[in-house]
């Protein structure tokens, strides 16, 4: 009799644990899908064309955005990335490779991480500019990449993210020159603001 109750309690406990485990597991499994949806909502500008242009100032060159970028904001903007990436030093591989020191690092360079063939074939280092392009739209930048992330379409947010990635280094690379010719509509004061940096 007592044995029966014990067995039942055990079974109940077991299945509860199982359900909890499944929940955690599926969170991990399905996280990319949530993000995909969130990502597709963002690029209002792309399909809407002219409409979005009225709302947003004309795009500024990435180095200018980067000079104004806020690494602190970037640190919170990489929360979705943290589902797959470790940002600590030296870091461990999760679904994606660890990203400490990624700025200026050769692409597909973390030993032991199984990069996709297209990523391995891409070649070169992760410059500010290439990170910007990749994070904007991974699948477009490197077709066949196994990074299941829709992309961050907001230029300023991407600059914040890259500014944060830059800080993940023992000796952060100097920022690219921000005096690239300002986009039409950008005031010269922007350059000055960029220089004072927070
Ligand atoms: C769903 C999981 C996932 C998310 C979310 C994700 N990544 Fe990735 N990331 C990967 C995988 C997997 C790779 C390896 C891609 C390949 O080999 O094709 C990768 C590769 C990279 C690389 C190249 C690293 C190297 O060593 O060459 C960078 C940089 C990167 N991710 C940045 C980001 C940033 C920044 C974010 C957030 C804005 C992000 N990732 C979000 C899974 C993810």
């Amino acid at each position: 009799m007592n044995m029966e109750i014990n067995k039942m309690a055990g079974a109940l406990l077991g299945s509860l644990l199982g359900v909890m485990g499944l929940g955690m597991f599926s969170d991990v499994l399905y996280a990319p899908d949530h993000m995909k949806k969130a990502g597709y909502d963002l690029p209002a500008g792309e399909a809407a064309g002219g409409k979005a242009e009225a709302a947003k100032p004309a795009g500024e060159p990435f180095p200018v955005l980067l000079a104004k970028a806020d690494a602190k904001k970037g640190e919170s903007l990489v929360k979705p990335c943290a589902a797959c990436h470790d940002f600590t030093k030296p870091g461990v591989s999760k679904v994606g490779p660890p990203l400490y020191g990624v700025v200026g690092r050769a692409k597909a360079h973390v030993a032991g991480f199984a990069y996709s063939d297209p990523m391995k074939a891409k070649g070169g280092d992760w410059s500010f500019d290439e990170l910007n392009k990749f994070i904007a739209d991974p699948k477009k930048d490197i077709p066949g990449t196994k990074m299941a992330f829709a992309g961050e379409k907001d230029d300023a947010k991407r600059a914040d993210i890259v500014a944060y990635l830059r800080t993940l280094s023992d000796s952060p690379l100097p920022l690219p020159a921000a005096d690239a010719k300002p986009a039409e509509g950008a005031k010269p004061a922007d350059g000055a603001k960029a220089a004072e940096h927070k």
Side-chain angles (χ1 to χ4, degrees):
M1 175 62 174
N2 255 345
M3 285 269 285
E4 286 298 299
I5 290 174
N6 275 346
K7 255 196 245 161
M8 276 165 61
L12 192 69
L13 205 67
S15 57
L16 265 177
L17 282 174
V19 169
M20 275 167 64
L22 209 65
M24 277 158 69
F25 183 62
S26 60
D27 270 358
V28 170
L29 262 188
Y30 294 114
D33 267 357
H34 295 323
M35 271 177 273
K36 214 178 270 172
K37 275 190 212 103
Y40 283 131
D41 286 339
L42 288 175
E46 231 164 51
K51 237 196 284 164
E53 257 165 54
K56 265 209 298 184
E60 291 179 277
F62 191 65
V64 174
L65 289 171
L66 200 53
K68 292 194 284 195
D70 184 343
K72 269 263 159 291
K73 275 192 207 148
E75 185 171 5
S76 40
L77 288 169
V78 300
K79 296 249 157 72
C81 324
C84 300
H85 290 288
D86 183 11
F87 293 94
T88 62
K89 177 191 177 184
V92 294
S93 290
K94 294 163 77 178
V95 176
L99 291 184
Y100 186 90
V102 73
V103 177
R105 181 170 86 194
K107 295 196 186 98
H109 202 62
V110 172
F113 184 81
Y115 291 97
S116 65
D117 289 337
M119 178 65 86
K120 282 189 278 190
K122 181 82 174 171
D125 295 345
W126 281 117
S127 64
F128 292 109
D129 196 45
E130 300 221 13
L131 281 167
N132 176 39
K133 271 193 267 170
F134 181 62
I135 296 166
D137 195 340
K139 297 249 160 4
K140 190 170 153 217
D141 186 44
I142 304 184
T145 178
K146 58 178 190 174
M147 172 152 142
F149 178 72
E152 172 54 70
K153 308 298 181 198
D154 186 303
D155 294 353
K157 286 187 183 163
R158 229 162 41 239
D160 290 342
I161 289 173
V162 173
Y164 170 64
L165 292 178
R166 173 178 171 265
T167 66
L168 304 177
S169 168
D170 295 340
S171 47
L173 288 187
L175 287 169
D179 47 17
K181 126 179 130 51
E184 49 145 326
K187 284 158 267 142
D190 281 358
K193 239 195 289 162
E196 87 194 23
H197 203 67
K198 300 132 258 178

